[in-house]
Amino acid sequence: KARLCGSIGQPLLMIFAFGAGFSWMFEATGQEDYFTFVVAGVVAVNTMMSSFGSGFELIRDKEFWFIKEYLVAPVKRIHLMIGKTLWWASIGMFQGGILLFICSFLWLSIDWISNILLVLLFMLGIAVLFSAFSMIFASLVPDFQGFQIVNSFLIMPLMMLSWAFYPLQTAAPWMQIVAKCNPLAYGVDGIRRA
């Protein structure tokens, strides 16, 4: 319950805070409503962050030796990794879907809700990709502290360079180049265009 409330409460707070703080800039430039703009980005970021939990679980399993029980099971290791990746991707999809559902009622002007299957497809891509990334990084890092450093080093730049909170056209040229290498930016763009 607490994890679900936190994973929904934080993005809603981000939408309200960024929406109230930056909406005047959007109105001044004649662009779309900022709340509509930021909801797609926050849904994508929330899906990514929820899916990234797979690495935390793998690190915990390694530290408490649960991983040995997995490894002696009569299942191929790749199947274990795929199963955990898909499990955490489904958690990311669920939490992102709840946020999407809440936002569709709070902001009725969101027109991309009509293409919900396409939005869900982009959310699935984000969830599977970042759940798999998290599993790979967690399998390479020996302890929780090392994974936390990698997590902090990756999540914040991916989030800030995904144009989830600001339009890419207004960013510096070097940021536009880096954003084109960011897989989350494509997920955010897909959700917005859906």
Side-chain angles (χ1 to χ4, degrees):
K1 279 184 173 180
R3 185 169 72 182
L4 182 62
C5 290
S7 68
I8 300 302
Q10 180 188 15
L12 287 174
L13 182 62
M14 289 172 75
I15 291 170
F16 285 120
F18 283 119
F22 295 130
S23 62
W24 66 272
M25 287 190 303
F26 265 58
E27 292 170 8
T29 59
Q31 295 186 12
E32 67 179 306
D33 175 37
Y34 186 72
F35 281 105
T36 304
F37 180 85
V38 80
V39 163
V42 171
V43 166
V45 166
N46 186 48
T47 303
M48 175 196 67
M49 292 176 78
S50 299
S51 300
F52 226 83
S54 62
F56 289 108
E57 183 180 34
L58 183 61
I59 290 289
R60 187 197 60 180
D61 290 347
K62 284 174 26 178
E63 284 188 353
F64 294 110
W65 300 96
F66 293 133
I67 195 78
K68 287 187 176 188
E69 294 179 20
Y70 296 147
L71 297 178
V72 297
V75 178
K76 292 183 181 180
R77 292 179 182 179
I78 190 72
H79 294 151
L80 289 170
M81 295 295 277
I82 290 171
K84 282 193 164 289
T85 299
L86 292 177
W87 168 249
W88 278 95
S90 66
I91 290 173
M93 285 287 296
F94 179 72
Q95 291 179 354
I98 289 175
L99 181 63
L100 188 67
F101 181 75
I102 291 170
C103 290
S104 69
F105 285 108
L106 294 177
W107 293 278
L108 297 175
S109 64
I110 298 175
D111 58 351
W112 45 266
I113 296 298
S114 61
N115 295 327
I116 191 70
L117 291 179
L118 195 55
V119 170
L120 291 175
L121 183 67
F122 279 105
M123 286 173 58
L124 178 65
I126 292 168
V128 169
L129 178 70
F130 287 103
S131 179
F133 277 164
S134 181
M135 292 292 286
I136 290 168
F137 293 136
S139 65
L140 298 174
V141 176
D143 59 359
F144 186 77
Q145 289 79 16
F147 182 74
Q148 187 64 32
I149 291 169
V150 170
N151 183 34
S152 298
F153 181 73
L154 287 175
I155 292 265
M156 187 59 74
L158 284 171
M159 182 174 69
M160 296 312 290
L161 294 172
S162 68
W163 70 290
F165 306 112
Y166 54 87
L168 187 60
Q169 302 84 342
T170 62
W174 70 268
M175 288 178 73
Q176 292 181 18
I177 292 169
V178 173
K180 290 180 181 175
C181 300
N182 183 356
L184 183 61
Y186 293 99
V188 171
D189 186 38
I191 292 174
R192 279 204 184 105
R193 291 177 189 254

